[in-house]
Amino acid sequence: MIDPLLPFEYEFFIKGLVVSVLLGGICGLAGVYIILRGLSYVGHGLSHAAFGGAIVGNIVGINYYIGAIIWSYLASFVIYEISKKNTIKPDAAIGLVTTAIFAFGVLLVSMTNKYTRNFESLLFGNILAITEQDLYIIVSVTMISAVFFFLLHKRLVFSFFDNESAKISGIKTSHIELLFSFVLATIIIVSMSSVGVTLLASVIVGPAISARMLSNNFSNVVFLSIIIGSIASFSGMYASFFLDSSSGPTIVMFITLGFGITALYALFKKIYHSHSHGGISHSHPHLHTDEHRHEHKHS
Amino acid sequence: MGSFEYLRITGLSYGFSYHDFVLEGVNLSIPRGRFVSLVGPSGSGKTTLLKLLCGIYEPWNGDIEYISNDCDSIFYYPSVGYVPQIETIDWNFPVSVQEVIAMGSWNYKSYLPWIDKKLKNQIKDVLKILGLSGYEKRHIRALSGGEQQRVFLGRALIKNPDILILDEPTTGLDYVSREKIFDILKNLNNNGMTVILSTHDITHIANRSPWVICFNKYVIAEGPPQDVLKEDNLLKTYGLSDYKIK
């Protein structure tokens, strides 16, 4: 018989679980702002840039985090500068810049053949290999990022919704957006070692688009996205113990499952819509796209 | 710090690429309390001029000066409310009517992410003026075109600006919605607010405005509509020759 509490007897698992829930929550939170800014591809792109930075950092003999931060901040800044005039869309700039920076890192590796750290864990994630130092960094970044989104929520929303009017209103939209890019890059860097470069996009975008399908209210979308991200990460982590699977891909599978469930729920809600009129509350299947009318026969 | 007296534009030029001026030597003076309709064809530079007035763009040449009644306040800048063209808005963005209107006050003041009670009451008052009482919680997509336009007007009004600038506020609206918008603007203007709007609608809005500016890269003519909306001015502005004022 399987003991459901068995994983909690292992310290490495508890540490991994804490990290995955924290990252699921903070990626869920950041993801809402990312999809509303039209930057869905940024998680994928910046994680590649950070990966390139981590490799370069390793080659020149500096800390992995420092290399990744320098590279991804540089990528964020270049993307911001290219796309701020609106001539080139951010997603196109992300595609070009982050791939170039990633390629530069790979090029250096191929030329120097210096390959001391296990970079495979960065590509696919290894939450169970999280060190004490990683844990402290992840907790700190999660807290600082949460405070950032809490304090700058209004300015971010206004800037993303109607940038020009926000500027007229006195908001320094360019500063806000650049700061947002740096916070985002930092979240991506700390998530990389747990979830992996190749899987990170799903953790960032998945919970946010699931939550967006459930509500039209910004605060509710943020709340739901954090909850979905945290629950999916918890479930993925927990399931991976029993399935003996890699934690990163299992978390991604649960996020995808969450998306599937919310998509079905949203469709069901649209078809089978509960409403009341003429003093009668009822529900029945119909496509609720426009205003509709129907009569009730009273016997 | 004084209050807004008039706006003076001298020799204003602007463009998006060299050798291609969108505005060429614009000279204009708009006193406090005037209701101005800026008319001109697409591409005539109306939106660019309005954005320059709001400070989104920096002039290439010339000056835009907001003069206050206090001569000592050199760095005077009035409170400006801006209503953009609503075609540029993402209607799927998850914000309610209340949140959109609240944005008008989301600048330097509060860092807390919620809308406080005082602001909620102010929003209620603004919605009442706009004829949208009870719409606070509605999602912006669930409104008609005229209602959406009024919500954006509400956002500009929440901080009670000295000058209200509207970019094509009646485009795409039916007759009744246009009338509603115009009536609200007239009321605000009667209470002392300076209103500057751009419009294509020379037969309806511009004709009813007390002051019209025919504009195509520069000011072609300005004055009351009966003096300005004449064949020669419209020919210069639009290239029309068969327009007759009703």
Side-chain angles (χ1 to χ4, degrees):
Chain A
M1 169 137 177
I2 296 168
D3 177 8
L5 297 177
L6 180 64
F8 299 101
E9 288 174 13
Y10 300 97
E11 197 191 326
F12 73 89
F13 179 81
I14 294 172
K15 204 160 61 180
L17 198 66
V18 170
V19 165
S20 60
V21 170
L22 280 176
L23 291 180
I26 199 66
C27 287
L29 171 62
V32 176
Y33 296 89
I34 289 169
I35 60 161
L36 293 173
R37 179 65 185 87
L39 294 172
S40 302
Y41 194 56
V42 79
H44 187 74
L46 280 182
S47 58
H48 279 71
F51 180 74
I55 296 171
V56 174
N58 186 257
I59 288 167
V60 297
I62 56 170
N63 181 281
Y64 139 79
Y65 280 113
I66 295 172
I69 280 177
I70 293 170
W71 234 233
S72 54
Y73 278 22
L74 178 72
S76 300
F77 182 72
V78 176
I79 291 164
Y80 166 78
E81 282 297 320
I82 289 176
S83 58
K84 75 175 179 185
K85 296 270 182 202
N86 279 334
T87 318
I88 298 168
K89 291 280 174 201
D91 271 6
I94 290 165
L96 176 75
V97 174
T98 56
T99 318
I101 289 179
F102 172 69
F104 184 66
V106 176
L107 186 75
L108 281 182
V109 169
S110 67
M111 286 166 70
T112 57
N113 249 347
K114 235 176 150 187
Y115 209 32
T116 54
R117 186 174 166 134
N118 180 10
F119 285 107
E120 203 179 288
S121 69
L122 286 182
L123 279 175
F124 304 106
N126 187 359
I127 216 159
L128 301 177
I130 292 284
T131 62
E132 285 284 317
Q133 185 204 24
D134 292 333
L135 183 64
Y136 291 134
I137 289 173
I138 288 167
V139 171
S140 309
V141 168
T142 304
M143 285 168 68
I144 292 167
S145 308
V147 170
F148 166 82
F149 285 114
F150 183 84
L151 294 178
L152 290 183
H153 168 79
K154 287 177 175 176
R155 287 154 183 82
L156 285 167
V157 171
F158 196 2
S159 302
F160 294 172
F161 178 62
D162 185 358
N163 195 277
E164 286 188 338
S165 299
K167 267 185 209 163
I168 294 167
S169 210
I171 294 173
K172 305 278 183 208
T173 54
S174 49
H175 296 181
I176 296 276
E177 293 212 14
L178 196 57
L179 200 56
F180 172 69
S181 306
F182 289 161
V183 169
L184 211 55
T186 314
I187 292 172
I188 286 164
I189 291 163
V190 298
S191 308
M192 248 167 57
S193 52
S194 337
V195 188
V197 171
T198 49
L199 306 170
L200 197 54
S202 165
V203 182
I204 288 176
V205 175
I209 54 172
S210 304
R212 181 67 193 90
M213 282 193 294
L214 296 176
S215 178
N216 271 331
N217 177 292
F218 200 103
S219 306
N220 289 349
V221 174
V222 167
F223 177 74
L224 287 167
S225 184
I226 294 171
I227 296 292
I228 293 169
S230 304
I231 290 177
S233 300
F234 180 93
S235 311
M237 187 69 200
Y238 185 72
S240 70
F241 181 88
F242 294 104
L243 296 171
D244 197 19
S245 58
S246 299
S247 50
T250 318
I251 289 171
V252 171
M253 285 297 109
F254 271 87
I255 287 171
T256 314
L257 180 68
F259 174 76
I261 292 168
T262 46
L264 277 175
Y265 174 75
L267 181 68
F268 182 75
K269 202 174 149 194
K270 195 174 173 184
I271 295 172
Y272 203 79
H273 179 76
S274 200
H275 57 279
S276 66
H277 51 88
I280 300 168
S281 180
H282 63 292
S283 59
H284 55 84
H286 62 273
L287 273 175
H288 195 72
T289 48
D290 288 307
E291 192 178 330
H292 65 281
R293 293 183 184 282
H294 59 257
E295 300 296 326
H296 290 276
K297 287 180 183 169
H298 298 277
S299 53
Chain B
M1 177 145 156
S3 60
F4 172 66
E5 271 305 303
Y6 67 99
L7 161 66
R8 185 170 58 202
I9 303 170
T10 39
L12 180 69
S13 297
Y14 188 79
F16 294 104
S17 61
Y18 297 107
H19 315 297
D20 185 17
F21 282 83
V22 177
L23 304 179
E24 285 183 42
V26 179
N27 293 301
L28 197 58
S29 183
I30 298 174
R32 177 165 59 95
R34 182 163 279 178
F35 189 125
V36 178
S37 287
L38 204 60
V39 298
S42 296
S44 60
K46 303 188 297 295
T47 298
T48 307
L49 177 62
L50 297 185
K51 287 183 178 177
L52 278 154
L53 296 184
C54 295
I56 294 177
Y57 303 144
E58 290 287 319
W60 279 5
N61 288 309
D63 291 309
I64 298 171
E65 296 165 285
Y66 290 98
I67 315 291
S68 85
N69 57 1
D70 177 3
C71 299
D72 294 334
S73 56
I74 304 162
F75 300 109
Y76 173 73
Y77 191 78
S79 167
V80 175
Y82 175 67
V83 182
Q85 288 185 29
I86 60 170
E87 285 82 3
T88 60
I89 300 299
D90 172 9
W91 297 108
N92 283 321
F93 207 91
V95 281
S96 64
V97 167
Q98 182 171 259
E99 284 165 319
V100 172
I101 296 181
M103 284 177 193
S105 68
W106 285 359
N107 44 19
Y108 329 91
K109 291 168 195 165
S110 167
Y111 280 90
L112 298 174
W114 47 80
I115 301 167
D116 62 35
K117 203 175 174 185
K118 190 181 160 199
L119 184 56
K120 278 185 184 170
N121 288 333
Q122 280 177 280
I123 292 167
K124 269 189 184 166
D125 294 341
V126 167
L127 287 174
K128 202 172 169 187
I129 294 169
L130 301 170
L132 295 172
S133 293
Y135 278 52
E136 289 91 333
K137 300 286 175 196
R138 287 209 192 177
H139 183 255
I140 49 166
R141 197 180 47 198
L143 305 174
S144 70
E147 288 166 346
Q148 287 171 338
Q149 188 67 62
R150 278 183 278 161
V151 169
F152 280 82
L153 178 56
R155 187 180 68 182
L157 292 177
I158 194 73
K159 59 181 177 182
N160 194 22
D162 299 311
I163 305 171
L164 185 61
I165 294 177
L166 306 98
D167 194 2
E168 306 277 1
T170 56
T171 300
L173 302 186
D174 60 34
Y175 179 82
V176 176
S177 300
R178 278 186 295 178
E179 278 295 303
K180 274 185 187 163
I181 298 272
F182 194 82
D183 289 344
I184 293 165
L185 296 177
K186 279 302 286 180
N187 279 335
L188 293 166
N189 180 245
N190 289 340
N191 290 325
M193 195 177 286
T194 307
V195 177
I196 304 170
L197 63 87
S198 67
T199 183
H200 284 109
D201 189 3
I202 48 175
T203 54
H204 186 233
I205 295 300
N207 239 334
R208 288 186 58 200
S209 304
W211 197 267
V212 173
I213 298 172
C214 283
F215 192 84
N216 196 343
K217 293 192 175 184
Y218 53 90
V219 175
I220 290 164
E222 65 168 317
Q226 62 274 20
D227 298 339
V228 171
L229 296 178
K230 289 185 172 167
E231 198 169 340
D232 54 340
N233 288 332
L234 292 167
L235 185 63
K236 283 182 201 161
T237 312
Y238 288 92
L240 295 173
S241 58
D242 55 351
Y243 178 80
K244 294 278 183 286
I245 247 185
K246 293 183 179 74

